[in-house]
């Protein structure tokens, strides 16, 4: 297995999450800081895209370039318009606990995960469903019995969806129908207790980079479960990752000192490693 060390790109964040690469920049959420930011990878400079009044998580774009984001506590899918944030869909009747990460398909439909239980108040873990919001705004469940569906990617030209089940230590894969429905669930990778898969990113060969949410690593896993590489950050734990840069050869990693930083603590960082 190949081991690669990452370099720090920026710091002084609280809890960066949901990174997405677009037009030469890295967009990400900081749900404790309640903002969506954009990072210039060449200079390390940060720009606030929008300051919110709720915690943002998953990010994605419609075909027309409109930014979509998940509002966690309010359990909403929102769009950032010229007038500001607007609610696209109410998700409360479809989510158990906070809504979380997201992947947007080529038509503008959004797959959205949720905690499944009130983790913030110490409720016991239980399974939940993956939500799909159609381009027209319709909301429905498309997959059930998932244990904390977290990072989500679409691959194989949108024909396959892979979702990280954090509390089951696995990646699950589905076939995607034209209407967004999912079927033929299978295990893409099963990990041990040392990997609680959080954010994920898929490379051009179909292997998946996984933030472990356990330690200072991201691992790259092939279909079937073989781990072929790892990236180490200098400190903290990894919670999300995204391929970007020229030919998507750089892995950007969101890390922090822990899931619940102390009040006023700003130990969140973004790291970068050349991986291919």
């Amino acid at each position: 297995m190949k081991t690669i060390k990452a370099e720090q790109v920026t710091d002084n964040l609280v809890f960066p999450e949901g990174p997405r690469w677009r037009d030469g920049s890295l967009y990400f959420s900081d749900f404790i800081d309640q903002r969506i930011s954009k990072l210039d990878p060449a200079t390390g400079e940060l720009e606030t895209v929008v300051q919110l009044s709720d915690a943002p998580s998953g990010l994605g774009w419609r075909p027309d370039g409109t930014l979509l984001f998940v509002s966690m506590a309010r359990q909403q899918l929102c769009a950032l318009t010229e007038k500001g944030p607007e609610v696209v869909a109410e998700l409360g009747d479809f989510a158990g606990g906070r809504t979380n990460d997201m992947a947007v398909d080529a038509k503008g439909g959004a797959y959205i995960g949720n905690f499944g239980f009130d983790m913030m108040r110490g409720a016991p873990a239980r399974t939940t469903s993956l939500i799909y919001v159609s381009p027209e705004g319709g909301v429905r469940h498309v997959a059930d019995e998932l244990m904390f569906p977290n990072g989500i990617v679409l691959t194989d030209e949108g024909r396959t969806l892979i979702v990280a089940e954090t509390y089951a230590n696995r990646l699950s894969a589905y076939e995607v129908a034209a209407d967004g429905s999912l079927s033929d669930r299978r295990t893409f990778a099963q990990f041990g207790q040392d990997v609680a898969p959080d954010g994920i990113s898929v490379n051009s060969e179909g292997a998946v980079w996984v933030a472990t949410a356990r330690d200072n690593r991201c691992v790259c896993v092939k279909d079937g479960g073989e781990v072929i590489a790892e990236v180490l950050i200098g400190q903290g734990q990894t919670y999300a990752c995204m391929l970007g840069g020229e030919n998507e050869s750089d892995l950007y990693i969101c890390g922090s000192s822990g899931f619940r930083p102390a009040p006023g603590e700003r130990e969140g960082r973004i790291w970068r490693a050349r991986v291919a």
Side-chain angles (χ1 to χ4, degrees):
M1 179 176 66
K2 186 176 182 180
T3 298
I4 306 163
K5 291 185 177 180
E7 61 177 356
Q8 182 177 301
V9 179
T10 190
D11 60 3
N12 197 35
L13 306 172
V14 184
F15 198 93
E17 258 276 25
R20 297 292 183 267
W21 183 262
R22 185 175 176 86
D23 297 333
S25 296
L26 187 77
Y27 291 75
F28 64 94
S29 296
D30 191 323
F31 66 75
I32 294 177
D33 239 3
Q34 298 188 343
R35 76 177 67 210
I36 298 170
S37 299
K38 181 171 71 170
L39 171 69
D40 182 335
T43 65
E45 293 183 2
L46 291 173
E47 174 188 338
T48 297
V49 176
V50 60
Q51 180 70 56
L52 301 163
S53 57
D54 185 33
S57 185
L59 305 176
W61 285 264
R62 288 173 172 161
D64 66 2
T66 300
L67 175 63
L68 299 175
F69 65 91
V70 173
S71 185
M72 298 181 74
R74 292 176 182 163
Q75 299 173 306
Q76 296 170 333
L77 175 63
C78 301
L80 185 59
T81 72
E82 294 180 355
K83 298 178 181 179
E86 295 184 357
V87 177
V88 173
E90 296 285 354
L91 308 175
D93 291 340
F94 298 84
R98 293 189 174 197
T99 45
N100 196 18
D101 214 335
M102 172 175 67
V104 178
D105 64 24
K107 298 177 182 178
Y111 294 92
I112 302 169
N114 64 95
F115 288 10
F117 58 99
D118 193 347
M119 184 181 69
M120 311 308 287
R121 295 185 179 181
R126 63 181 182 183
T127 60
T128 188
S129 301
L130 195 66
I131 301 165
Y132 183 68
V133 181
S134 72
E136 298 75 32
V139 186
R140 70 183 194 272
H141 290 145
V142 287
D144 298 316
E145 298 299 316
L146 291 162
M147 187 59 83
F148 206 105
N150 207 330
I152 308 166
V153 294
L154 289 159
T155 185
D156 191 27
E157 297 183 341
R159 293 188 291 265
T160 301
L161 179 142
I162 303 170
V163 57
E165 292 187 74
T166 303
Y167 275 47
N169 309 99
R170 69 173 169 242
L171 304 182
S172 293
Y174 297 85
E175 291 188 12
V176 182
D179 67 350
S181 299
L182 303 180
S183 63
D184 296 331
R185 177 179 180 173
R186 63 182 177 85
T187 297
F188 184 94
Q190 180 68 61
F191 302 101
Q193 293 299 314
D194 60 329
V195 177
D198 196 330
I200 59 178
S201 184
V202 64
N203 71 16
S204 60
E205 297 178 347
V208 178
W209 281 99
V210 182
T212 65
R214 290 281 193 243
D215 52 29
N216 67 332
R217 297 179 302 146
C218 282
V219 298
C220 188
V221 62
K222 295 172 66 175
D223 193 351
E226 180 188 358
V227 175
I228 58 175
E230 65 178 1
V231 168
L232 307 180
I233 63 172
Q235 62 188 95
Q237 295 171 306
T238 67
Y239 291 100
C241 57
M242 183 70 208
L243 288 164
E246 185 177 358
N247 299 320
E248 295 189 344
S249 58
D250 293 326
L251 185 71
Y252 289 87
I253 302 168
C254 294
S256 185
S257 58
F259 179 67
R260 297 184 180 181
E265 184 178 270
R266 302 189 68 87
E267 294 297 323
R269 293 173 169 82
I270 294 178
W271 306 78
R272 177 178 56 205
R274 180 59 55 88
V275 295

